[in-house]
Amino acid sequence: MSLDDRKLEVLRAIVEDYVATQEPVGSKSLVERHQLGVSPATVRNDMAVLEEEGYIRQPHTSAGRVPTDAGYRLFVDRLSRVKALSPAERRAIERFLAGAVDLDDVVHRTVRLLAQLTRQVAVVQYPSLSRSAVRHLELVPISSTRMMLVMIADTGRVEQRLVELPGPTSNDDVLDMRRQVNTKLSGQKMADTPPLVQALVDECPQEKRNTMACLASVLLETLVERSDERLALAGTANLTRGGVLDFQGSLRPVLEALEEEVILLKLIGEVEPSTTRVRIGDENEIDNLRAASVVSSGYGPGTTIVGGLGVLGPTRMDYPGTIATVRAVARYVGDLLAQN
Amino acid sequence: MSLDDRKLEVLRAIVEDYVATQEPVGSKSLVERHQLGVSPATVRNDMAVLEEEGYIRQPHTSAGRVPTDAGYRLFVDRLSRVKALSPAERRAIERFLAGAVDLDDVVHRTVRLLAQLTRQVAVVQYPSLSRSAVRHLELVPISSTRMMLVMIADTGRVEQRLVELPGPTSNDDVLDMRRQVNTKLSGQKMADTPPLVQALVDECPQEKRNTMACLASVLLETLVERSDERLALAGTANLTRGGVLDFQGSLRPVLEALEEEVILLKLIGEVEPSTTRVRIGDENEIDNLRAASVVSSGYGPGTTIVGGLGVLGPTRMDYPGTIATVRAVARYVGDLLAQN
DNA sequence: TCCTGGCACTCGACTTCCCGGAGTGCCAGT
DNA sequence: ACTGGCACTCCGGGAAGTCGAGTGCCAGGA
């Protein structure tokens, strides 16, 4: 038996009511609140079918129905239109992001904005190095056997690393290396750098090769390995909205998951060029987040994508609103980056 | 009536038991668990006095006693010796911090280590710029009217800011400014820089003064105003240990406070040259943290202090252990910084 | 003077019981 | 195919009762 229009309408009503009230919804209150044009008994029959198909369930016999993860999924995919943001919201976003002075600043403002607008936990990934290009490399001597490498990416990200040199090295040598790495690497996509770095070492005169190799290994680490690590997080206090009711009684696992950068990156970092992505409950393949949903989106100047951002909340969340907000914020941030 | 030795001993026993069991402690179980050499009745009399003096209180009539903030304060000040760390713990600290490669890395490792050892929320302030000196300033042209300012402090901190120039500026001019700011500012304490920056502008030939003024204002912002902002946080999941019992029923206010950098800086940033500092309950002058205690310490190479670190937990915490850990970690971090 | 054992009392935590109400499934009727 | 009716289930919350840990106080003893 397939789901006719009315059954879908019933499912939508259940999701909307449950999200709004946080209480299992019964057939009677459903017909009262929505113009379904049928009696409670009919709705009950529909509900029985929906339950059989796995879209809703009863917490206990003789309680109302609650959407399952599959129910939310169907709702998101077929039953909801993304709400357009109000002009006021658009203006709020613009105003909030306008004052940003700095990449750090942009990211921090964005994450706070997201948390505030969605009233959920927000995560913003810094522009990932693997999708950036090298703008400039700087070498600053610290002592005779140490220097600092500063890498500036075209996305505005700046990474620094201390380089321990194998032996005393003069300032001139450092300047020399600086020139070499810049001519070789400036403007290159991060992904293309490894062979170029290798070439740098190979082309180096024998007596300086050791030093250059040293720099090269740090370069590779900085450019490629540690590449996507940076994240900003805000709004954890929003987890406590709705008491301990959401998240099946304990915030513990959720807070733990939020501390793991690797996990967060998996959640918001795997961005396809496509549009906003919604992961509901089990769909996050992380045990600790079985009771959570994640709405994420890529962002970047124009149509390219340099990083991800998103929010995390209870499966019982306002999907249309959240999706709209995440998408809008992602677009604004992208525009902002495009200006730089 | 003053507090004789036995009464203090009773207070200590109450604090220790309550911290261990999380339950109000009564006279009978007290004498069972500690060798006080007197009967429950006597202990009850002592308790009555302690209560009158405000060091303990009863949650309800006919329940055991619980320490008040004042009780914890007395305990910390007079009744507890700081535990020495076990060699295993010392080794753990050393091993954990040894691999650090970078200031960022040091800070992140430290904050995780602290959270893990104390099983509480840990906060580490990056070395504050106001206590650092300028090591090097770098100017990188981005476009004809934009450049990036990168400031490297002797503590290893790196700050960057975008500078919007008033008009097109050649690469040579940028290099020129770079030379000027470095000769003037390198090696200077941050606090001493404002007049020097002003001098830079004044000494500048008329036609370039505009550009230099622009750079100067960003410099001042970077060096002085935004100076102490950076923080790292870890272990928020530890707030959920002990159920919702700690923090009078709601994590909400605590999580909110933890999101405010300003608040955290107030808590761990105000470091005197002295030793570890303990703030109990109300002593943090922040409403949201009435049920929390903060143990903080300054750190830095040798005896100087460049930043603060600490942990936050329920007032009912293991003070001796926490203090010992915080102090030890602060010292190790200081040593680590001294090496660079 | 200080400590102790004894005793009556208090009061929260836990259990049990009970009841109302919301919600259900099913069935016969339109 | 929908509806009204009906019997049933079961959660939530209040009332009552019990248990036990803990207290304050007092009189007696070192």
Side-chain angles (χ1 to χ4, degrees):
Chain A
M1 175 180 213
S2 95
L3 300 174
D4 59 30
D5 283 355
R6 199 192 53 223
K7 291 192 185 62
L8 292 177
E9 198 55 37
V10 168
L11 176 58
R12 157 193 272 139
I14 291 174
V15 171
E16 286 175 356
D17 277 20
Y18 182 64
V19 166
T21 66
Q22 174 88 324
E23 269 163 17
V25 6
S27 53
K28 194 174 154 219
S29 47
L30 251 197
V31 289
E32 276 170 13
R33 285 231 275 251
H34 300 74
Q35 286 76 30
L36 293 172
V38 289
S39 77
T42 310
V43 171
R44 281 206 289 280
N45 288 328
D46 292 348
M47 282 171 145
V49 176
L50 286 169
E51 180 155 20
E52 196 151 343
E53 306 275 328
Y55 296 115
I56 55 178
R57 65 188 177 80
Q58 290 180 279
H60 331 277
T61 326
S62 93
R65 301 310 213 287
V66 163
T68 60
D69 288 357
Y72 286 123
R73 168 51 62 197
L74 186 60
F75 174 82
V76 168
D77 287 347
R78 298 184 45 199
L79 300 177
S80 66
R81 293 270 156 273
V82 173
K83 288 180 203 159
L85 265 66
S86 72
E89 282 172 305
R90 301 198 162 276
R91 251 177 291 127
I93 296 178
E94 255 173 300
R95 202 170 337 123
F96 202 87
L97 293 183
V101 71
D102 195 72
L103 180 66
D104 256 322
D105 208 15
V106 171
V107 171
H108 281 115
R109 279 168 189 255
T110 305
V111 78
R112 292 183 95 99
L113 177 67
L114 257 184
Q116 195 182 315
L117 289 177
T118 62
R119 304 184 59 96
Q120 252 130 23
V121 182
V123 190
V124 176
Q125 178 192 15
Y126 277 69
S128 105
L129 289 185
S130 53
R131 298 179 220 257
S132 312
V134 177
R135 174 170 282 153
H136 183 79
L137 290 162
E138 189 58 40
L139 298 178
V140 181
I142 301 284
S143 71
S144 67
T145 62
R146 260 187 191 151
M147 62 184 180
M148 180 162 278
L149 163 68
V150 180
M151 195 272 309
I152 305 180
D154 62 350
T155 44
R157 255 185 86 175
V158 178
E159 289 287 309
Q160 71 273 5
R161 277 290 298 278
L162 207 59
V163 185
E164 301 275 351
L165 299 168
T169 308
S170 73
N171 276 5
D172 284 347
D173 286 345
V174 172
L175 283 178
D176 211 37
M177 287 196 284
R178 172 171 175 270
R179 197 181 35 73
Q180 288 176 51
V181 293
N182 271 302
T183 29
K184 199 74 162 189
L185 300 177
S186 282
Q188 298 293 332
K189 301 286 294 176
M190 296 290 168
D192 302 336
T193 53
L196 298 174
V197 171
Q198 187 53 49
L200 268 173
V201 178
D202 294 342
E203 292 164 10
C204 204
Q206 187 61 46
E207 73 275 16
K208 294 181 181 165
R209 192 166 294 178
N210 254 348
T211 313
M212 183 58 93
C214 212
L215 171 58
S217 82
V218 174
L219 263 174
L220 284 178
E221 265 181 60
T222 310
L223 299 179
V224 185
E225 290 166 29
R226 289 208 321 172
S227 56
D228 296 334
E229 272 184 12
R230 280 179 78 72
L231 282 175
L233 189 70
T236 38
N238 288 331
L239 289 175
T240 59
R241 291 192 315 133
V244 198
L245 302 158
D246 307 327
F247 306 116
Q248 55 199 27
S250 170
L251 294 185
R252 186 92 204 244
V254 182
L255 284 171
E256 278 172 358
L258 290 177
E259 296 236 328
E260 295 296 330
E261 300 208 333
V262 193
I263 293 181
L264 291 181
L265 280 172
K266 207 169 217 137
L267 291 179
I268 66 149
E270 293 176 353
V271 277
E272 305 100 41
S274 81
T275 158
T276 316
R277 174 163 176 185
V278 181
R279 285 193 194 72
I280 298 168
D282 273 337
E283 298 169 11
N284 315 302
E285 287 149 1
I286 290 152
D287 278 353
N288 283 8
L289 299 180
R290 280 289 146 78
S293 284
V294 175
V295 177
S296 63
S297 176
Y299 71 87
T303 57
T304 57
I305 289 186
V306 299
L309 54 77
V311 305
L312 180 152
T315 42
R316 168 206 145 283
M317 72 159 68
D318 168 20
Y319 290 96
T322 307
I323 292 171
T325 307
V326 168
R327 183 172 299 176
V329 170
R331 186 151 46 225
Y332 275 102
V333 174
D335 292 351
L336 204 58
L337 289 183
Q339 288 166 31
N340 295 2
Chain B
M1 175 178 214
S2 96
L3 301 174
D4 59 30
D5 284 355
R6 199 193 52 224
K7 292 192 184 64
L8 292 177
E9 199 55 38
V10 168
L11 177 57
R12 156 194 272 138
I14 292 175
V15 171
E16 285 176 356
D17 277 20
Y18 182 63
V19 166
T21 65
Q22 174 87 326
E23 268 163 18
V25 6
S27 54
K28 194 174 154 218
S29 47
L30 252 197
V31 288
E32 275 169 12
R33 284 232 273 254
H34 299 76
Q35 287 75 30
L36 294 172
V38 291
S39 75
T42 310
V43 171
R44 281 206 288 281
N45 287 328
D46 291 350
M47 282 171 144
V49 176
L50 287 168
E51 178 154 20
E52 195 152 344
E53 306 276 328
Y55 296 116
I56 55 179
R57 66 190 175 81
Q58 288 180 281
H60 331 278
T61 324
S62 93
R65 302 309 216 284
V66 163
T68 60
D69 288 357
Y72 286 122
R73 169 52 60 197
L74 185 60
F75 174 81
V76 168
D77 287 347
R78 299 184 45 198
L79 301 176
S80 66
R81 292 270 157 274
V82 173
K83 289 180 202 159
L85 264 66
S86 73
E89 283 172 305
R90 299 196 163 277
R91 253 178 291 126
I93 295 178
E94 255 173 298
R95 201 171 337 123
F96 202 89
L97 293 183
V101 71
D102 194 75
L103 180 66
D104 256 321
D105 208 16
V106 170
V107 171
H108 281 116
R109 278 168 190 256
T110 305
V111 77
R112 292 183 95 98
L113 177 68
L114 257 184
Q116 194 182 315
L117 289 177
T118 62
R119 305 183 57 96
Q120 252 130 24
V121 181
V123 190
V124 176
Q125 177 192 14
Y126 277 69
S128 105
L129 289 186
S130 54
R131 299 180 220 257
S132 312
V134 177
R135 174 171 281 153
H136 182 79
L137 290 162
E138 190 58 42
L139 298 178
V140 181
I142 301 283
S143 70
S144 67
T145 62
R146 260 185 190 153
M147 62 184 181
M148 180 161 279
L149 164 68
V150 179
M151 195 272 312
I152 305 180
D154 61 350
T155 45
R157 255 185 85 174
V158 178
E159 290 287 309
Q160 71 274 6
R161 277 292 297 278
L162 207 60
V163 186
E164 301 275 351
L165 298 168
T169 308
S170 74
N171 275 6
D172 283 349
D173 285 346
V174 172
L175 283 178
D176 210 38
M177 286 196 284
R178 171 171 175 272
R179 196 180 38 71
Q180 287 177 53
V181 293
N182 271 301
T183 29
K184 199 73 162 190
L185 300 177
S186 282
Q188 298 293 333
K189 302 286 292 177
M190 296 290 169
D192 302 337
T193 53
L196 298 175
V197 171
Q198 186 53 49
L200 268 173
V201 178
D202 294 343
E203 291 164 11
C204 205
Q206 187 61 46
E207 71 276 15
K208 294 181 181 165
R209 191 165 296 177
N210 253 348
T211 314
M212 183 59 94
C214 213
L215 170 59
S217 82
V218 174
L219 263 174
L220 284 179
E221 266 180 61
T222 311
L223 299 179
V224 185
E225 291 166 28
R226 289 208 323 173
S227 54
D228 296 334
E229 273 183 14
R230 279 180 79 72
L231 282 176
L233 189 70
T236 39
N238 289 331
L239 289 175
T240 59
R241 292 193 313 133
V244 199
L245 303 158
D246 306 326
F247 306 116
Q248 54 198 27
S250 170
L251 294 185
R252 185 94 205 245
V254 181
L255 284 171
E256 278 172 359
L258 289 178
E259 297 236 328
E260 296 294 332
E261 300 208 332
V262 193
I263 292 182
L264 291 180
L265 280 172
K266 206 168 217 137
L267 291 178
I268 66 149
E270 293 175 354
V271 276
E272 305 98 41
S274 81
T275 161
T276 316
R277 174 163 175 184
V278 181
R279 286 193 194 72
I280 298 167
D282 273 338
E283 298 170 13
N284 315 302
E285 287 148 0
I286 291 153
D287 278 352
N288 284 8
L289 299 180
R290 281 288 146 78
S293 284
V294 174
V295 177
S296 63
S297 176
Y299 71 87
T303 57
T304 56
I305 289 186
V306 300
L309 55 76
V311 305
L312 180 150
T315 42
R316 166 207 147 283
M317 73 159 68
D318 168 20
Y319 290 97
T322 307
I323 292 170
T325 307
V326 168
R327 186 174 297 176
V329 170
R331 186 152 44 225
Y332 276 101
V333 174
D335 292 350
L336 205 58
L337 288 184
Q339 287 167 32
N340 295 0

